[in-house]
């Protein structure tokens, strides 16, 4: 009996223990440092469970002891754990080689890549670290299909043009760029080393961001720490030297003397050089201005995590001298970054980030008529840098624009200082299990201070750059903007079949500017040291006619619904209402919908037996996005023009109406269609993505040509803004990547992407049905146009047909003014027997139809190697860095000039006589196709297993912009101002330098 009592007591205790429930807490990681949000956690055999929060944490109550928890997440192997007690858990999931998938930012939320229905591309921190770009834009070129990056200049601190799937408008084509959710217009303030990832939204799904997303969206996420982690330190630093990639071959002094004499004789004048054999080689002006310039960067970061919070702090300093001008054209940047997240209550999370940037830039005149490089190419080689008295040599007889470039550098004082702070403060609250509410405010505040001193200087007779009265221009511009977002998200899953996420949000944005500037004259001693308004005798207000403030606002409401059925049928719908103060009351608001769908075909039963295809998803999207990127107050008349009035027989200067108003302007609308296919093959070693896209921009906001009787050419005035055009961009994107670990010692990866783009203007309204732009030579008509049936900004000029070989050919040809044997022969395109401006036609396209990128990487034991290439094929560029004056220097290809019948049929004679060879024609248009080795890097990582201090120690050597294969004869085939009409005209483009660097990566 006693034994039975003991037995039943034992069963009771065991049963009681088995029935005991505990609360299980823990954190799920994808690796040692990165928490994993959204991990599903279920008690096996039940529907009870939870999911990890943004920081990978979870809490699950009433978990029976001895039960099994199942951890699952897309892209990772499922993990099971038996619960034996209530101790905190630390779980690290292992990536599933047979699945996808990382979590990707898609705007106001995240989504597993497998479930994304839009065209989204990702560039990770590893790629950015290997490229070591000075600016963020440089990390995108060649990495993402459909994204084209062209440099505005190779000078220190200069920006690049980012175009996502073509030129969509004749105005601002820049994409929306957000850093940790905050709008950042100027990427020079961002330190590339701080970036964790870059996501590019290319299709209509970018419409979730509304009006500013018409040209695509780039989402940049900066690095953050991890919870419950020790202090870690990261030190990345490099130093190197920069050199020009090319000097344009020009005539030496002897060759110059020969051609000058020949041109004078041909023009019926006495040659200036009696004995050109005594001229020698002369001065190499490019060699005088180009130099080897240093560059250095140091980046330091500290990360620390606590149980409920994490902190990441980083700072960096970059200094870069120019290959032209050296320290007189340098760029310095200091950045400080702080990211701090805190879970201060059970359901509350505070997210904060701030970036402070200070930049200091000195500028030289570049890529324009009379720039430093323009002058170096045209300055006569028989002249020395300094004369016998030690003064800078005057450029007499070389035209009004060409001056001594070394003296020009010496007398250029153009400094710009920027202080900017950007911040994000967000509060997230989860409630009722499936709901979360977030309020987030983002702000930017920047002060731009500048000083431009123009000393009294004499460069030669009649030079436009001569200064007879010195002056200093000091300005301070203050820019502020803030964005306040509020949104509620509902997320639920039923029976692992139906997955629903709904977003309801509103956003308010305001941008303001306060501009001030004054010009002072008569600086004592003509010196930069005394250059200040306090030392000036006379001071003028640069904004006496107003225009010194602006205030633009946006109010938006939007919603998004995402639905998934069994993870294989996917749908996303967005509707957004935007209201902008740039339009009048009647047209202020616009409604912009978008829809996208996806089908994961490999989840279907009929494809389950495929052994070689691991994943296939079909995507389709269509949407409309608005664009308001025009000047403020275009719908009303403002008194910000200049007026001259006669009062009491005296001229009185005052204000007048500025830009002509158009109260009817309304939203520019972009309609985007995309169909894409994502695939993975052969155990996920091969990744393929294909997209076809068609973007039509309607109701383009442009400034048309108007009749002069409207008064739009008066000082301070301009024609009105109108909705008067449409543009199509259609094309195809393809990318393929291969990655394999052949052994523990050797890994290899290679990727290739390609984009085909066709741009066409389909409508233009206005007096002449085209919009001109750009400049060529002196006093000629604009060389670029926006016109129906042609690509945006195409080159419009005369077509050549060889060179006249004799007088008979001249006589039998259509009448061509001043034509003689040896001159260019122009095509009479309209067959009226006259060569004039009516014969101008299409002669080139500045938009490349083909762009390609290729990346190669391999690791062997502790060695790593990487190479990045980019190619642009099929576009043209205008050679406009030659000044056609009798005594200016010429490029060496003038040695192949026409010298008599049969000598050449491609290059005209030289002469000082009147001729039409300088008219804009295809003679000045060249193929701008190129293949560039963007980066080559070799690194070695030392063994730190036995080190108590170091976790990583890597040394590397790299070459940026290693070599460019091209037929273009100028400095750089990628030259472009970025203007949609008038870009691609090279007026002495500052070449992107080749940079040799040594660097070190330390983690401790």
């Amino acid at each position: 009996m006693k034994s039975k009592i003991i037995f039943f007591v034992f069963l009771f205790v065991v049963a009681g223990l088995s029935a005991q429930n505990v609360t299980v807490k823990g954190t799920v990681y994808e690796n040692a440092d990165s928490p994993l949000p959204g991990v599903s956690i279920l008690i096996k055999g039940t529907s009870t469970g939870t999911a990890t929060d943004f920081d990978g944490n979870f809490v699950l109550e009433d978990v029976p002891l001895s039960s099994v928890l199942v951890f699952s997440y897309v892209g990772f192997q499922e993990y099971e754990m038996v619960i034996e007690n209530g101790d905190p858990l630390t779980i690290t999931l292992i990536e599933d080689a047979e699945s996808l998938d990382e979590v990707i930012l898609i705007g106001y939320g995240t989504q597993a890549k497998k479930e994304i229905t839009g065209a989204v591309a990702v560039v990770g921190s590893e790629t950015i670290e290997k490229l070591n770009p000075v600016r963020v834009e440089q990390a995108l070129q060649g990495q993402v299909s459909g994204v084209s990056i062209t440099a505005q200049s190779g000078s220190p601190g200069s920006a690049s043009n980012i175009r996502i799937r073509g030129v969509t408008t004749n105005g601002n084509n820049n994409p929306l760029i957000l850093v940790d959710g905050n709008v950042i217009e100027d990427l020079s303030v961002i330190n590339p080393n701080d970036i964790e990832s870059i996501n590019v939204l290319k299709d209509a799904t970018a419409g979730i961001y509304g009006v500013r997303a018409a040209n695509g969206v780039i989402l940049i996420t900066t690095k953050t720490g991890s919870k419950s982690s020790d202090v870690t330190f990261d030190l990345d630093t490099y130093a190197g030297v920069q050199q020009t990639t090319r000097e344009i071959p020009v005539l030496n002094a002897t060759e110059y003397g020969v051609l000058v004499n020949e041109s004078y004789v041909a023009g019926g004048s006495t040659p200036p050089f009696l004995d050109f054999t005594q001229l020698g080689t002369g001065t190499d002006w490019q060699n005088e201005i180009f130099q080897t310039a240093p560059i250095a960067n140091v980046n330091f970061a500290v990360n620390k995590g606590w149980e409920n919070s994490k902190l990441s702090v980083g700072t960096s300093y970059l200094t870069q001298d120019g290959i032209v001008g050296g320290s007189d054209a340098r760029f310095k940047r200091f950045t400080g970054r702080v990211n701090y997240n805190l879970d201060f209550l059970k359901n509350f999370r505070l997210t904060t980030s701030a970036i402070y940037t200070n930049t200091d830039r000195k500028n030289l005149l570049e890529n324009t008529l009379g720039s430093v490089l323009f002058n170096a190419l045209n300055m006569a080689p028989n002249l020395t840098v300094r004369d016998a008295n030690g003064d800078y040599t005057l450029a007499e007889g070389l035209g009004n624009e060409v001056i001594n470039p070394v003296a020009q550098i010496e007398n250029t004082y153009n400094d710009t200082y920027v202080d900017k702070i950007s911040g994000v403060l967000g509060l997230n609250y989860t409630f009722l299990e499936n709901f979360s509410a977030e309020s987030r405010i983002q702000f930017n505040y920047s002060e731009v201070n500048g000083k431009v001193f123009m000393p009294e200087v004499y460069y030669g007779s009649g030079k436009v750059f001569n200064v007879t009265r010195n002056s200093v221009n000091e300005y301070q511009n203050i820019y502020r903007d803030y964005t306040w977002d509020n949104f509620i998200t509902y997320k639920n899953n039923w029976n692992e079949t139906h997955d629903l996420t709904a977003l309801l949000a509103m956003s308010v944005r305001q941008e303001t500017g306060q501009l001030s500037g004054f010009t002072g004259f008569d600086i004592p001693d003509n010196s930069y040291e005394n250059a200040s308004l306090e030392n000036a005798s006379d001071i003028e207000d640069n904004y006496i006619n107003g225009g010194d403030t602006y205030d633009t606002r946006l109010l938006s409401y939007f919603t998004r619904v995402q639905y998934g059925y069994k993870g294989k049928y996917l749908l996303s719908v967005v509707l957004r209402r935007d209201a902008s103060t740039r339009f009048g009351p009647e047209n202020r608001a616009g409604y912009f919908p978008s829809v996208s769908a996806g089908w994961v075909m490999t989840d279907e039963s009929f494809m389950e037996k495929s052994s070689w295809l691991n994943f296939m998803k079909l995507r389709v999207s269509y949407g409309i996005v608005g664009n308001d990127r025009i000047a403020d107050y275009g719908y009303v008349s403002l008194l910000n023009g200049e007026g001259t009035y006669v009062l009491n027989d005296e001229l009185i200067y005052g204000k007048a109406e500025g830009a002509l108003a158009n109260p009817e302007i309304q939203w520019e609308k972009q309609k985007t269609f995309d169909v894409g296919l994502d695939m993975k093959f052969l155990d996920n070693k091969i990744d393929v993505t294909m997209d076809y896209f068609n973007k039509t921009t309607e109701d383009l906001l442009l400034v048309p040509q108007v009749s002069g009787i409207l008064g739009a050419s008066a000082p301070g005035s301009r024609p009105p803004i109108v909705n008067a055009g449409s543009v199509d961009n259609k094309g195809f994107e393809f990318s393929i990547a291969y990655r394999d670990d052949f052994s523990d010692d050797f890994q290899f990866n290679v990727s290739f992407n390609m984009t085909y783009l066709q741009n066409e203007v389909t409508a233009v309204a206005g007096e002449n049905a085209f919009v001109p732009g750009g400049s060529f030579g002196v006093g000629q008509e604009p060389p670029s146009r926006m016109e129906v049936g042609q690509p945006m900004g195409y080159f419009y000029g005369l077509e050549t047909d060889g060179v006249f070989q004799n007088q008979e050919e001249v006589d039998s040809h259509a009448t061509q003014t001043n034509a003689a044997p040896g001159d260019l022969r122009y095509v009479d395109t309209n067959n009226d027997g006259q060569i004039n401006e009516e014969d101008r036609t299409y002669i080139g396209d500045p938009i490349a139809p083909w762009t390609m990128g290729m990346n190669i990487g391999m690791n062997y034991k502790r060695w790593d190697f990487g190479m990045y290439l980019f190619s642009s094929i099929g576009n043209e560029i205008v050679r406009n860095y030659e000044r056609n004056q009798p005594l200016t220097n010429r490029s060496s290809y003038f040695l192949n000039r026409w010298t008599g019948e049969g000598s050449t049929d491609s290059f005209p004679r030289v002469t000082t006589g009147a001729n039409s060879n300088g008219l804009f024609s295809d003679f000045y248009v060249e193929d701008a196709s190129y293949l560039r080795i963007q980066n080559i890097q070799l690194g070695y990582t030392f063994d730190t297993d036995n080190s108590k201090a170091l976790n990583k120690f890597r040394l590397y050597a790299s070459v940026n912009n290693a070599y460019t294969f091209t037929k273009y004869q100028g400095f750089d085939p990628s030259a472009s101002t970025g203007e949609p009409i008038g870009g691609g005209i090279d007026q002495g483009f500052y070449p992107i330098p080749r940079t040799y660097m040594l660097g070190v990566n330390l983690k401790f």
Side-chain angles (χ1 to χ4, degrees):
M1 182 68 180
K2 186 176 181 178
S3 61
K4 290 182 178 181
I5 294 174
I6 293 173
F7 176 75
F8 283 110
V9 169
F10 175 77
L11 289 178
F12 179 81
V13 172
V14 171
L17 291 174
S18 300
Q20 181 179 351
N21 294 347
V22 296
T23 297
V24 180
K25 300 181 180 180
T27 305
V28 181
Y29 294 90
E30 61 174 310
N31 55 50
D33 299 320
S34 300
L36 198 58
V39 177
S40 173
I41 304 163
L42 290 174
I43 300 175
K44 192 171 184 177
T46 74
S47 60
T48 303
T50 185
T52 57
D53 62 16
F54 190 79
D55 298 308
N57 300 319
F58 71 92
V59 177
L60 186 58
E61 299 177 344
D62 296 327
V63 179
L65 291 176
S66 300
S67 61
V68 177
L69 290 188
V70 180
F71 298 81
S72 60
Y73 187 75
V74 175
F76 291 82
Q77 296 178 11
E78 191 172 87
Y79 179 77
E80 296 184 358
M81 170 172 278
V82 179
I83 302 303
E84 300 176 347
N85 52 54
D87 293 343
L89 302 179
T90 299
I91 307 296
T92 300
L93 296 185
I94 300 173
E95 188 173 358
D96 187 353
E98 297 182 356
S99 188
L100 294 171
D101 222 28
E102 69 243 62
V103 173
I104 293 179
L105 287 173
I106 57 171
Y108 299 96
T110 60
Q111 195 172 27
K113 187 175 181 181
K114 177 183 178 181
E115 300 172 351
I116 285 178
T117 54
V120 182
V122 180
V123 178
S125 59
E126 182 179 351
T127 299
I128 298 171
E129 289 172 1
K130 287 188 176 181
L131 285 170
N132 282 323
V134 174
R135 292 180 59 106
V136 177
E137 306 99 301
Q138 297 165 350
L140 287 172
Q141 189 176 43
Q143 305 299 316
V144 179
S145 62
V147 178
S148 174
I149 310 292
T150 58
Q152 296 179 10
S153 167
S155 61
S158 61
S160 296
N161 309 303
I162 306 176
R163 301 291 178 260
I164 298 178
R165 292 182 168 178
V167 178
T168 59
T169 176
N170 71 313
N172 190 328
N173 282 272
N174 295 329
L176 172 65
I177 301 173
L178 298 105
V179 179
D180 294 331
N182 196 11
V183 177
I184 300 292
E185 294 283 358
D186 181 9
L187 283 176
S188 68
V189 302
I190 304 299
N191 171 27
N193 292 93
D194 288 335
I195 296 175
E196 180 65 33
S197 67
I198 303 176
N199 292 7
V200 182
L201 311 184
K202 298 186 286 186
D203 67 347
T205 56
I208 188 66
Y209 285 106
V211 54
R212 301 176 63 82
N215 301 315
V217 178
I218 297 176
L219 306 176
I220 297 175
T221 304
T222 60
K223 296 175 180 177
T224 61
S226 301
K227 289 185 177 179
S228 302
S229 61
D230 296 330
V231 177
T232 60
F233 301 93
D234 293 351
L235 176 64
D236 299 312
T237 183
Y238 64 80
V241 294
Q242 309 161 94
Q243 298 175 341
T244 182
T245 54
R246 186 166 192 256
E247 290 189 11
I248 296 176
V250 293
L251 305 177
N252 62 34
T254 300
E255 295 167 335
Y256 166 80
V258 171
L259 262 73
V260 168
N261 280 356
E262 182 179 319
S263 66
Y264 269 72
V265 171
S269 302
T270 303
F273 300 109
L274 298 179
D275 186 4
F276 56 78
T277 61
Q278 301 299 313
L279 296 176
T281 58
T283 302
D284 184 342
W285 288 99
Q286 293 178 82
N287 190 54
E288 293 294 332
I289 64 166
F290 279 125
Q291 58 182 273
T292 298
I295 182 173
N297 180 74
V298 59
N299 183 76
F300 184 71
V302 181
N303 300 301
K304 176 71 173 85
W306 297 269
E307 182 179 355
N308 295 318
S309 62
K310 56 183 180 179
L311 173 69
S312 178
V313 179
T315 184
S316 72
Y317 182 72
L318 167 75
T319 178
Q320 180 186 14
D321 283 0
I323 57 173
V324 177
S327 60
D328 290 323
R330 51 107 174 101
F331 177 71
K332 296 180 180 180
R333 180 185 64 209
F334 170 82
T335 61
R337 172 188 56 86
V338 177
N339 289 54
Y340 180 66
N341 295 342
L342 171 66
D343 294 340
F344 60 92
L345 290 175
K346 180 179 179 180
N347 296 330
F348 281 92
R349 182 175 73 250
L350 176 70
T351 302
T352 64
S353 68
I355 299 174
Y356 167 74
T357 306
N358 172 268
T359 62
D360 176 4
R361 186 182 183 196
K362 291 186 175 181
N363 299 313
L364 296 174
L365 191 63
E366 58 180 87
N367 199 25
T368 187
L369 193 73
S371 67
V372 173
L373 284 169
F374 179 91
N375 290 324
L377 293 172
N378 289 280
M379 189 69 174
N382 65 309
L383 299 178
T384 57
V385 176
R386 293 181 182 270
D387 60 22
N389 298 323
D391 299 322
Y392 284 115
T393 300
L394 303 180
E396 297 290 0
L398 301 181
N400 296 335
E401 302 84 21
V402 179
I403 61 175
N404 185 327
V406 180
Q408 184 179 18
I409 294 173
E410 181 82 12
N411 289 289
T412 300
Y413 304 90
N414 188 351
D415 296 351
T416 304
Y417 309 91
V418 178
D419 281 290
K420 181 171 185 176
I421 183 168
S422 304
V424 177
L425 177 65
L427 184 64
N428 181 280
Y429 172 62
T430 59
F431 60 98
L432 299 178
E433 296 186 7
N434 303 112
F435 288 89
S436 67
E438 185 165 345
S439 182
R440 187 168 59 203
I441 188 161
Q442 306 130 48
F443 70 91
N444 293 286
Y445 175 85
S446 59
E447 294 184 3
V448 180
N449 294 277
K451 182 165 73 172
V452 180
F453 175 56
M454 302 197 60
E456 183 179 334
V457 62
Y458 181 74
Y459 292 110
S461 303
K463 301 297 182 182
V464 295
F465 296 105
N466 289 341
V467 179
T468 57
R469 187 186 185 191
N470 69 38
S471 64
V472 60
N473 175 26
E474 294 187 13
Y475 58 90
Q476 181 184 62
N477 300 333
I478 298 176
Y479 304 94
R480 305 179 182 90
D481 68 70
Y482 81 89
T483 305
W484 185 30
D485 294 329
N486 296 278
F487 50 95
I488 295 177
T489 304
Y490 172 80
K491 189 172 185 177
N492 204 354
N493 180 280
W494 294 273
N495 302 322
E496 299 186 7
T497 300
H498 305 280
D499 196 341
L500 177 67
T501 301
L503 173 77
L504 184 63
M506 63 86 66
S507 179
V508 178
R509 179 172 174 81
Q510 182 182 26
E511 300 177 38
T512 62
Q514 183 177 345
L515 315 177
S516 64
F518 298 87
T519 300
F521 298 90
D522 302 325
I523 302 302
D525 299 327
N526 199 38
S527 69
Y528 182 70
E529 290 72 18
N530 295 328
S532 66
L533 295 176
E534 291 78 6
N535 293 328
S537 63
D538 298 322
I539 298 176
E540 294 181 356
D541 185 353
N542 297 338
Y543 293 95
I544 192 170
N545 287 321
D548 55 346
T549 62
Y550 66 86
D551 186 341
T552 303
R553 307 184 187 197
L554 284 169
L555 174 62
S556 304
Y557 301 96
F558 53 98
T559 183
R560 178 177 62 200
V561 177
Q562 297 165 289
Y563 172 74
Y565 178 72
K566 293 185 177 181
K568 60 182 177 180
Y569 305 120
L570 310 166
L571 179 69
S572 177
V573 179
V574 174
L575 176 63
R576 181 159 177 140
R577 178 190 185 273
D578 288 313
S580 171
T581 58
R582 285 176 172 152
F583 302 110
E586 298 299 322
N587 300 309
R588 186 151 292 169
Y591 292 85
F592 307 106
S594 65
V595 61
S596 59
W599 176 27
V600 182
M601 302 168 69
T602 42
D603 282 357
E604 299 288 357
S605 58
F606 61 83
M607 298 193 72
E608 289 180 352
K609 295 182 180 181
S610 176
S611 59
W612 57 274
L613 180 62
N614 305 110
F615 177 77
M616 178 182 288
K617 178 177 66 177
L618 178 68
R619 296 176 281 102
V620 180
S621 67
Y622 177 80
I624 304 174
V625 183
N627 183 18
D628 73 339
R629 295 194 182 188
I630 56 175
D632 294 333
Y633 314 119
Y635 63 95
V636 293
S637 297
L638 300 176
L639 286 175
N640 57 3
E642 299 178 22
T644 304
Y645 306 92
V646 179
L647 297 176
N648 298 325
D649 294 327
E650 293 185 7
L651 292 178
I652 304 298
Y653 300 96
K655 293 185 178 182
E657 182 180 353
L660 301 184
N662 177 12
E664 301 301 321
I665 55 174
Q666 55 186 300
W667 289 90
E668 182 178 291
K669 294 179 286 292
Q670 184 186 108
K671 300 178 179 179
T672 301
F673 171 76
D674 182 279
V675 57
L677 190 65
D678 303 325
M679 296 178 288
K680 287 181 177 287
F681 304 93
L682 304 179
D683 295 329
N684 297 289
K685 294 177 182 179
I686 299 177
D687 192 337
V688 174
T689 299
M690 294 182 287
D691 280 89
Y692 168 80
F693 62 90
N694 190 337
K695 295 198 303 183
T696 299
T697 308
E698 299 178 348
D699 295 327
L700 259 69
L701 292 162
L702 54 84
V703 178
Q705 296 189 92
V706 297
S707 172
I709 64 174
L710 293 179
S713 59
S717 183
R718 61 169 173 76
I721 299 171
V722 297
N723 295 98
S726 63
V727 179
D728 279 350
N729 284 276
K730 62 183 67 175
F732 176 77
E733 297 173 358
F734 173 80
S735 64
I736 183 171
Y738 172 79
R739 178 185 296 271
D740 198 3
D741 296 340
F742 291 93
S743 68
D744 292 338
D745 290 335
F746 181 67
Q747 298 84 41
F748 176 79
N749 66 84
V750 60
S751 64
F752 171 79
N753 66 76
M754 175 186 69
T755 303
Y756 170 74
L757 173 70
Q758 181 182 346
N759 176 281
E760 182 182 356
V761 176
T762 55
V764 179
E767 182 178 343
N768 295 309
F770 69 87
V771 179
S775 64
F776 178 84
V778 177
Q780 296 197 40
E781 292 292 320
S784 298
R785 285 188 172 187
M786 172 185 175
E787 190 172 12
V788 172
Q790 302 291 355
M792 177 75 79
Y794 81 100
F795 300 131
Y796 183 74
L798 296 171
E799 184 179 351
T800 61
D801 183 25
V803 174
F804 290 117
Q805 297 297 319
N806 50 55
Q807 189 60 43
E808 182 180 354
E809 290 186 3
V810 175
D811 295 338
S812 63
H813 186 62
T815 302
Q816 183 173 319
T817 304
N818 296 320
D823 287 340
L824 292 173
R825 178 171 48 206
Y826 298 120
V827 177
D828 183 14
T829 58
N830 62 359
N831 297 314
D832 66 352
Q834 298 286 331
I835 300 297
N836 52 36
E837 62 180 15
E838 300 300 322
D839 292 302
R840 290 180 296 170
T841 185
Y842 170 96
I843 57 173
D845 181 2
I847 302 174
W850 294 96
T851 54
M852 305 178 193
M854 186 172 186
N855 307 322
I856 302 172
M858 61 185 72
N859 297 301
Y860 178 70
K861 294 185 177 180
R862 297 191 176 278
W863 292 94
D864 62 87
F865 172 81
M867 182 166 65
Y868 299 82
L869 303 97
F870 177 77
S871 180
S872 175
I873 301 173
N875 61 306
E876 282 81 32
I877 189 170
V878 174
R879 185 181 73 252
N880 191 33
Y881 49 77
E882 299 161 337
R883 186 68 176 99
N884 186 22
Q885 289 288 321
L887 292 176
T888 53
N889 199 9
R890 295 169 170 83
S891 299
S892 59
Y893 46 72
F894 270 79
L895 296 174
N896 299 319
R897 69 205 178 281
W898 185 90
T899 55
E901 186 171 353
S903 58
T904 180
D905 193 37
S906 59
F907 208 95
R909 63 181 178 136
V910 293
T911 180
T912 60
N915 63 80
S916 58
N917 293 334
L919 294 178
F920 181 56
S921 69
D922 57 16
F923 176 71
Y924 298 97
V925 178
E926 295 189 30
D927 182 3
S929 301
Y930 68 93
L931 169 63
R932 175 169 290 163
I933 303 176
Q934 294 194 129
N935 177 270
I936 302 175
Q937 185 171 137
L938 179 66
Y940 183 82
T941 302
F942 293 87
D943 185 357
T944 58
D945 292 342
N946 297 322
S947 174
K948 295 182 179 180
L950 285 177
N951 296 323
K952 180 181 180 181
F953 178 25
R954 176 177 176 266
L955 291 176
Y956 66 88
S958 73
V959 182
N960 282 343
N961 193 25
Y963 192 80
T964 301
F965 300 90
T966 183
K967 293 181 179 179
Y968 179 54
Q969 300 176 95
F971 284 117
D972 197 313
S974 64
S976 178
T977 62
E979 294 294 327
I981 309 174
I985 300 175
D986 185 357
Q987 303 188 85
F989 180 75
Y990 194 124
I992 300 172
R994 179 181 296 121
T995 307
Y996 302 90
M997 293 188 293
L998 293 175
V1000 60
N1001 306 131
L1002 296 176
K1003 295 183 184 293
F1004 50 95

